[in-house]
Every structure is written in structure tokens, then in C-alpha cells.
Amino acid sequence: MVAIDEDGVRDTYNDVRNDGTETNWVVYKYNDAKAIEVSATGVDYEEFLKHFVDTERVYGFVRFETGDELSKRAKFVLITWVGVKVGPLKKAAVSTDKAFVKKIVSSYAKEILADRLEEIQYDTVLEQVKAAGGANYGVGKRDED
């Protein structure tokens, strides 16, 4: 069983979900003692992406704004990252360790398992969030055929 900083994970998860804070993302990583803890939080998505490297296992929780001109909604994504240079035993452990993360990080619109940065680029993830949300209406002018 993996150790997890439950209070730290819960506090940062709630911070990202809170409409009253600027925090848009949190990254959880394994420390030297092989426990999952908060690694970083922030606002800028490009900064968020810098935490996903080939040699690490990372859990990221991030906020996206979706909706149309009249209605904006916050949607959340849980990213499980297993870098391509992570060894087979550590890769295998993610399948069970993730369950402990998901006990706390429990509400999200989309879950993504990735090992390449192309899979978690902002526009790529945003399109997946929109697709997971069903109808994507707008009130803008329709194209005339």
C-alpha cells in the first residue's frame, strides 16, 4: 500500500475546485520515500506541463473553463502520467496507487492516462473535455450554406 499525504492532496484538490481561488492545477508526485505528495500548484498550463517528464509518475488535476457565450462552467481533468522511461514495476504500481489518489480526487469530467506530452496539450485536453460533456451549444451566428 502506498502512503499518501491525504491532507495535502485534499487541500490542493479543493483549492483547484474552488471558484474563489486562482489555482488552476495541482501536481502530485512520489517523494523519495515512495509516498504521494503535493509537488506543485499553479495557474499557467504551460508551467503545469513542465512537471510531466519521461522518468516520473505524476498525477495532475486541472481546471478547464467550458461552455458557450452565456454559460461558462468549470470542468476538471485527472491526468495520470507514466513517463516512457519509468521501469516496469513502477508502471505496474500506478494501477493500484491511483486508487488511493482517486479516493480524494474524486470528481472530474475526464480522466486521461498519458505518456506523451502531445496527449495532454491544452487544446487536445479541452476538446476531450468538451466531447465528454455532450452537447456543445453556442449562441453565435450560424454559418450559412
Side-chain angles (χ1 to χ4, degrees):
M1 182 167 112
V2 69
I4 186 167
D5 174 12
E6 291 185 19
D7 291 337
V9 171
R10 185 176 295 105
D11 289 347
T12 53
Y13 165 71
N14 288 329
D15 191 36
V16 172
R17 291 189 55 81
N18 185 341
D19 293 335
T21 69
E22 290 185 5
T23 306
N24 286 335
W25 57 262
V26 58
V27 169
Y28 308 113
K29 291 186 180 183
Y30 294 82
N31 64 19
D32 292 338
K34 299 182 177 90
I36 299 170
E37 65 182 10
V38 177
S39 176
T41 62
V43 177
D44 180 59
Y45 197 82
E46 291 302 315
E47 186 67 29
F48 174 69
L49 289 177
K50 291 178 184 177
H51 295 275
F52 297 87
V53 296
D54 288 344
T55 57
E56 292 190 279
R57 300 169 293 165
V58 179
Y59 304 94
F61 184 68
V62 61
R63 168 192 286 264
F64 283 84
E65 295 294 326
T66 64
D68 57 32
E69 297 84 353
L70 298 177
S71 175
K72 296 289 182 189
R73 294 174 295 283
K75 298 290 183 178
F76 301 93
V77 176
L78 174 63
I79 298 171
T80 302
W81 172 269
V82 182
V84 294
K85 294 182 181 176
V86 171
L89 291 177
K90 288 183 177 181
K91 279 184 183 180
V94 168
S95 63
T96 54
D97 295 351
K98 181 169 52 171
F100 294 102
V101 174
K102 290 170 71 171
K103 282 184 178 181
I104 301 167
V105 180
S106 59
S107 183
Y108 43 86
K110 180 72 179 163
E111 180 177 357
I112 297 172
L113 175 61
D115 64 2
R116 293 178 299 118
L117 283 176
E118 297 81 36
E119 297 171 301
I120 58 172
Q121 292 300 312
Y122 184 87
D123 290 338
T124 302
V125 176
L126 181 59
E127 286 305 312
Q128 291 182 47
V129 170
K130 287 179 180 178
N136 188 25
Y137 301 113
V139 295
K141 183 179 175 184
R142 289 186 178 194
D143 293 334
E144 299 295 325
D145 290 328

